[in-house]
Amino acid sequence: MNRSANATVVGLQWGDEGKGKIVDALAGVSRYVVRFCGGANAGHTVTVNGQKFAMHLIPCGILHDGVLNFVGNGVVFDPATALGEIDALLSRGVAVSPDNLRISSAAHVVMPWHKAQDSLSEQRLGGGKIGTTARGIGPCYADKANRSTAIRVGDLACPDALAEKIRHVAEIKNKVFSSLFGAEALDAEAIVPEFIEYGRRLAPMICDTGHLLRLACRKGEPILFEGGQGIMLDVDHGTYPFVTSSAVSACGVPQGAGVPPGATGTVVGLVKAYTSRVGAGPFPTEQSNEIGDRLRERGREYGTTTGRPRRCGWLDAFAVRYAAELSGVDELALALLDVLTGFDELKVCTGYRVGGRDLEAFDVTAMGAAECTYESFPGWTSDITACRKFDDLPPEAQQYVKRVGELIGRPVAFISVGPDRQQNIVHRTRLEGLK
Ligand code: IMP
């Protein structure tokens, strides 16, 4: 197996690090682009010639000719959202067919009861809510683990068995909804034809994507694994319970795509030059002040999926170092550096103090009680969006980038200075697509 041809892109913070853009850059030299975790909670934005594409379920490689895009078994798949996305792409002249899009038969289907349950349980939690995207992600993964109440993408292609399953699961869900939430029953007889129709449209794309990817690995065809969310939202390694419900680090690639460990290839860790978070949970470097407001406005920090304003703060290099270690990150891509232009002073968190003592090692469970130790940097005022070489950056920006790489312990290979495909600085990378 030729492992070196593959690459994995993962977010090292709480998502929204700008993965769409780097996936787009790498997709151009890949044969396959594969989503392996999450679902329509993701929002990957790619800007091509000033045209913005916001992708939720369809891999970003769809915007490139000759790329086969796979939705892997680890994804929770919402057929209504996917078909809406496919139709929107078709109407904008982007080709989408079984020739360039396949969906794993083993991915799980997000059903109407999952979305309803997501919203109802958040309402029930009140002030203690997780702040989910309400896309039914958690309840769908819960049913995956529960098995007897799950529906998989492969089921969509078998209308009679699907109808039977929907009726069976809806009956159970309706009992739970009425007793636990006092909610109205869902009408299984309306859901059945809706999902049979989804199955009819999607059937030509449904297959064993893992098998095809293992063949590709054997042949040495380049695969790009497109991560969703960010490692601090990982169900095992993030700020639990304020996390999503899947394995979003590079450790999730083999399981969520059906490839052997080692197939991840070069791992690129995406880091925003500052930090943002949507939803509840600890965020030690958060700036609930005019610094945070300024980052939000300059960075247009409003959710791609939900439109919610994102919480904003300084870069937390202590947490990102942990995320990079966990994912075996080889190279860093630093995104949205241009958003920092105009600040007199910049800060980066280098460690935590808990109970008056410096933590020796990063501890995700300590984040809620952590006080940050910061290193300060002088800011810069000149516009950097036209910079295309590292040396074009003002010295203060160069110093910031170098120090961030040192603090995280990985080389910064790629710097994004604006939303468009061309607004990048490629510093030093082993990846062809980034050169
Ligand atoms: P869920 O994934 O919808 O269950 O949401 C759980 C948590 O993950 C919430 O805090 C969401 O805001 C967050 N989240 C899920 N997906 C994304 C993403 O793609 N970007 C940023 N945050 C996300």
Side-chain angles (χ1 to χ4, degrees):
M1 179 169 71
N2 179 357
R3 292 175 176 174
S4 60
N6 298 352
T8 296
V9 173
V10 285
L12 299 182
Q13 292 154 310
W14 280 285
D16 310 316
E17 298 93 351
K19 287 179 287 290
K21 180 169 168 174
I22 193 127
V23 168
D24 177 58
L26 288 170
V29 292
S30 303
R31 175 74 181 113
Y32 300 85
V33 177
V34 186
R35 282 279 309 268
F36 60 90
C37 67
N41 50 352
H44 295 176
T45 307
V46 183
T47 307
V48 185
N49 301 328
Q51 272 205 77
K52 203 167 157 183
F53 294 85
M55 321 289 288
H56 298 284
L57 262 171
I58 309 300
C60 293
I62 204 80
L63 300 172
H64 288 263
D65 291 338
V67 173
L68 247 173
N69 296 275
F70 286 178
V71 175
N73 57 278
V75 171
V76 285
F77 184 78
D78 180 340
T81 303
L83 285 165
E85 220 167 303
I86 290 170
D87 289 340
L89 286 165
L90 289 170
S91 73
R92 293 173 76 180
V94 179
V96 187
S97 75
D99 291 340
N100 67 350
L101 178 64
R102 301 288 178 87
I103 303 144
S104 167
S105 53
H108 281 247
V109 181
V110 176
M111 298 298 295
W113 47 80
H114 293 135
K115 293 186 207 172
Q117 191 183 335
D118 203 348
S119 299
L120 289 167
S121 62
E122 284 281 273
Q123 277 166 28
R124 201 157 173 262
L125 286 168
K129 70 179 182 184
I130 293 166
T132 71
T133 58
R135 295 298 186 268
I137 306 297
C140 186
Y141 279 115
D143 275 336
K144 173 178 177 172
N146 192 43
R147 295 151 295 169
S148 60
T149 45
I151 294 179
R152 303 210 292 178
V153 167
D155 296 325
L156 293 177
C158 313
D160 292 344
L162 176 67
E164 206 174 302
K165 264 198 175 178
I166 289 176
R167 290 190 183 104
H168 165 73
V169 182
E171 195 184 327
I172 298 170
K173 295 291 175 184
N174 280 336
K175 281 188 185 145
V176 175
F177 280 8
S178 72
S179 63
L180 201 61
F181 302 113
E184 261 180 51
L186 293 164
D187 180 6
E189 294 318 312
I191 298 171
V192 167
E194 183 188 338
F195 278 73
I196 287 179
E197 175 57 15
Y198 294 149
R200 189 192 62 75
R201 283 196 65 191
L202 293 166
M205 298 177 181
I206 300 172
C207 69
D208 180 351
T209 50
H211 167 69
L212 297 176
L213 289 174
R214 291 189 296 279
L215 275 180
C217 284
R218 244 181 276 153
K219 288 196 253 170
E221 293 178 317
I223 307 170
L224 173 63
F225 298 99
E226 175 180 354
Q229 294 78 48
I231 285 160
M232 304 314 292
L233 287 171
D234 184 272
V235 67
D236 288 294
H237 305 290
T239 49
Y240 195 91
F242 300 103
V243 293
T244 190
S245 304
S246 65
V248 305
S249 82
C251 311
V253 168
Q255 188 72 12
V259 294
T264 44
T266 301
V267 181
V268 181
L270 244 293
V271 190
K272 190 139 67 176
Y274 50 97
T275 311
S276 71
R277 169 162 211 178
V278 251
F283 179 178
T285 61
E286 181 169 17
Q287 299 295 304
S288 308
N289 53 30
E290 59 187 39
I291 295 170
D293 293 345
R294 194 158 155 198
L295 288 169
R296 185 177 313 106
E297 292 317 312
R298 282 194 56 91
R300 296 168 295 276
E301 293 292 353
Y302 294 88
T304 318
T305 303
T306 59
R308 289 181 290 178
R310 297 177 184 144
R311 301 157 64 193
C312 292
W314 298 123
L315 176 61
D316 186 343
F318 195 44
V320 172
R321 191 182 180 100
Y322 153 81
E325 266 172 25
L326 179 74
S327 259
V329 164
D330 297 296
E331 298 183 351
L332 295 173
L334 190 65
L336 292 126
L337 186 64
D338 52 303
V339 172
L340 296 185
T341 301
F343 281 90
D344 292 337
E345 183 195 32
L346 300 168
K347 288 187 178 184
V348 174
C349 170
T350 56
Y352 295 162
R353 282 177 80 74
V354 178
R357 289 176 51 190
D358 289 333
L359 279 196
E360 274 177 34
F362 180 81
D363 176 358
V364 73
T365 63
M367 283 180 108
E371 271 175 66
C372 296
T373 311
Y374 286 106
E375 209 168 290
S376 293
F377 299 83
W380 58 90
T381 50
S382 58
D383 181 7
I384 61 168
T385 56
C387 295
R388 296 291 176 269
K389 292 200 298 286
F390 188 71
D391 293 341
D392 293 344
L393 289 171
E396 296 84 359
Q398 293 188 22
Q399 187 199 347
Y400 185 81
V401 173
K402 276 187 194 150
R403 188 66 184 134
V404 162
E406 278 167 19
L407 288 168
I408 299 171
R410 299 288 192 281
V412 179
F414 182 93
I415 302 159
S416 169
V417 291
D420 217 77
R421 258 184 181 166
Q422 286 74 34
Q423 291 179 297
N424 309 316
I425 295 170
V426 180
H427 198 25
R428 42 188 169 178
T429 178
R430 59 170 95 164
L431 290 165
E432 199 48 47
L434 294 183
K435 282 181 190 154

